[in-house]
Amino acid sequence: LDYSWQFLGVCWEDQRIPLSALRATYSLPELSGVAELVFIPGWDHRENRVNKYAPASPIQFDPVGWRLFDQRHKMSHWAPNDPPPPSVITFPTATVTYHYPDSGPDDDYQLGFRWMGDYRGFSYTLAYFYSFSYDPVAKYQWGLGTFAPTSDPATWIPDVPVITNVDLVFPRTHMVGGSFNWYSQTLNTVFRGEWGYWTNWRWNSGNVTPFWDTVVRKKVFKYMLGTDGNYFIRWLNPTRTFFISTQIFQTIILDYEDGDGILEIGSWPAKARQVETMLTLLIQGNYRNDNVTPEVLFSYDADDGCWWIHGKCKLTIGDHWRLTPGIQLFGGHDKYQSLG
């Protein structure tokens, strides 16, 4: 996905990066299912094979607290304490190098298998996908430098370990997962879910030790449960139903250890929890013969207490004009974490 100039809630057609791929299916009616193969050869531009983000601020290193800083904001990226005064940040900016997944003959392609079946109205899938992380993991190259806390050479400290280069890599991943979908006529509701399990997911650690690798490997389980349905809300619209969708997302690090100091991916990486929970609620309505279609999406991070509201309303005016005013609101105790 291209996050360079887009944000949450934008249409997928405006975010997806086109890729060359081959998809083949084989139907097995006697088993009420379809086998599927997906092959992505990696012929596309290397930067299009991973998620794109807006350019990041240069990185600097604090040799006193062994912490990385965002140069423009002087924000500590993962230290539990307040950052030191800017006077200690005197080293040159580290070089950031992207290593896209094309460095070897086996790093270009992605391959997936999926079985899609149905049993008495209960639809399900089972899948395996050999890919790579679409978000980068940082590996640091170290050297020795001189720490100059003041302009007086007598205070300079030689041979201090410093980060000279940050290599952003996209490690290979193995995922097994599945999904289900079932409609209840009694409740007039669709129940659905998805899950995935990664055996060797890479994370960066905030425990920075000079000349040591800061990448940790963990077993990760992610799942989503949701409901969809059309329901009346008489006091808002006595004649038309509203489409209401609810979802819960959870990410669980199965072999989590607090001392690992695992970091979330983001501009200001925060320490990851063993369980991360996100709740969403989507409500869509229709008025004036579908010429006025309001929509509002609520998202809530149950761990950080942060929330996000994305609202828009599509207005159809005549045969040619379409207007879509919208609003995005954020809240929470920490604007640098989660939905902020």
Side-chain angles (χ1 to χ4, degrees):
L1 297 177
D2 187 352
Y3 297 115
S4 299
W5 309 108
Q6 303 290 355
F7 202 65
L8 298 173
V10 177
C11 176
W12 286 115
E13 295 299 328
D14 297 329
Q15 287 183 288
R16 292 188 300 182
I17 302 174
L19 293 175
S20 302
L22 171 67
R23 177 177 179 263
T25 61
Y26 184 77
S27 177
L28 294 169
E30 62 274 14
L31 297 179
S32 300
V34 176
E36 179 184 28
L37 167 69
V38 174
F39 177 67
I40 304 175
W43 296 336
D44 307 275
H45 193 276
R46 61 179 188 170
E47 294 184 6
N48 289 342
R49 302 174 197 168
V50 295
N51 291 334
K52 287 186 177 180
Y53 296 93
S57 301
I59 294 175
Q60 288 188 318
F61 186 66
D62 162 30
V64 177
W66 303 116
R67 296 173 288 193
L68 286 182
F69 282 78
D70 180 282
Q71 184 182 15
R72 182 168 62 180
H73 302 286
K74 298 295 186 294
M75 289 293 299
S76 172
H77 272 230
W78 54 64
N81 303 318
D82 292 333
S87 60
V88 307
I89 309 174
T90 58
F91 288 111
T93 300
T95 302
V96 179
T97 305
Y98 278 85
H99 295 270
Y100 294 101
D102 62 351
S103 58
D106 65 336
D107 287 339
D108 289 341
Y109 73 91
Q110 302 173 70
L111 182 65
F113 303 92
R114 181 168 63 168
W115 170 259
M116 299 175 287
D118 183 90
Y119 179 74
R120 295 184 178 180
F122 182 87
S123 301
Y124 67 93
T125 67
L126 297 172
Y128 167 77
F129 194 48
Y130 176 63
S131 182
F132 37 75
S133 173
Y134 296 129
D135 296 306
V137 174
K139 292 187 175 182
Y140 307 121
Q141 297 181 16
W142 292 83
L144 296 176
T146 299
F147 175 43
T150 69
S151 59
D152 183 2
T155 65
W156 295 1
I157 305 173
D159 299 330
V160 175
V162 296
I163 292 178
T164 59
N165 192 76
V166 180
D167 294 321
L168 298 179
V169 299
F170 301 84
R172 275 296 189 180
T173 60
H174 298 267
M175 187 278 294
V176 293
S179 66
F180 73 88
N181 192 298
W182 177 69
Y183 173 68
S184 170
Q185 291 185 343
T186 303
L187 300 176
N188 187 32
T189 300
V190 174
F191 296 89
R192 53 188 171 83
E194 299 178 2
W195 64 273
Y197 172 70
W198 289 261
T199 58
N200 201 19
W201 191 268
R202 270 81 160 182
W203 306 74
N204 272 119
S205 171
N207 302 326
V208 181
T209 302
F211 303 101
W212 283 79
D213 191 5
T214 61
V215 177
V216 295
R217 295 162 174 80
K218 295 293 179 181
K219 298 179 177 63
V220 177
F221 180 77
K222 299 183 180 183
Y223 76 89
M224 179 278 299
L225 296 176
T227 64
D228 299 320
N230 293 287
Y231 311 99
F232 277 104
I233 306 179
R234 299 290 186 180
W235 59 278
L236 288 177
N237 191 332
T239 60
R240 296 290 300 274
T241 60
F242 288 83
F243 175 76
I244 300 177
S245 176
T246 65
Q247 294 180 124
I248 176 173
F249 299 86
Q250 277 200 328
T251 298
I252 305 172
I253 304 175
L254 300 178
D255 48 350
Y256 180 89
E257 294 182 14
D258 188 66
D260 287 332
I262 296 173
L263 303 177
E264 292 286 2
I265 295 174
S267 300
W268 292 274
K271 184 177 179 181
R273 297 180 176 87
Q274 183 174 12
V275 180
E276 299 281 350
T277 304
M278 185 75 66
L279 306 174
T280 68
L281 170 64
L282 172 67
I283 302 176
Q284 297 175 330
N286 296 280
Y287 295 88
R288 299 182 63 86
N289 296 321
D290 296 341
N291 291 320
V292 179
T293 56
E295 172 185 309
V296 61
L297 172 63
F298 302 90
S299 300
Y300 177 70
D301 188 319
D303 302 300
D304 290 320
C306 301
W307 53 268
W308 171 59
I309 299 177
H310 171 78
K312 63 181 181 180
C313 183
K314 182 178 179 181
L315 306 176
T316 301
I317 304 175
D319 296 331
H320 304 286
W321 283 98
R322 304 293 185 270
L323 300 178
T324 307
I327 188 172
Q328 293 188 9
L329 302 174
F330 297 83
H333 66 278
D334 191 339
K335 64 181 179 180
Y336 294 111
Q337 291 195 19
S338 182
L339 299 172

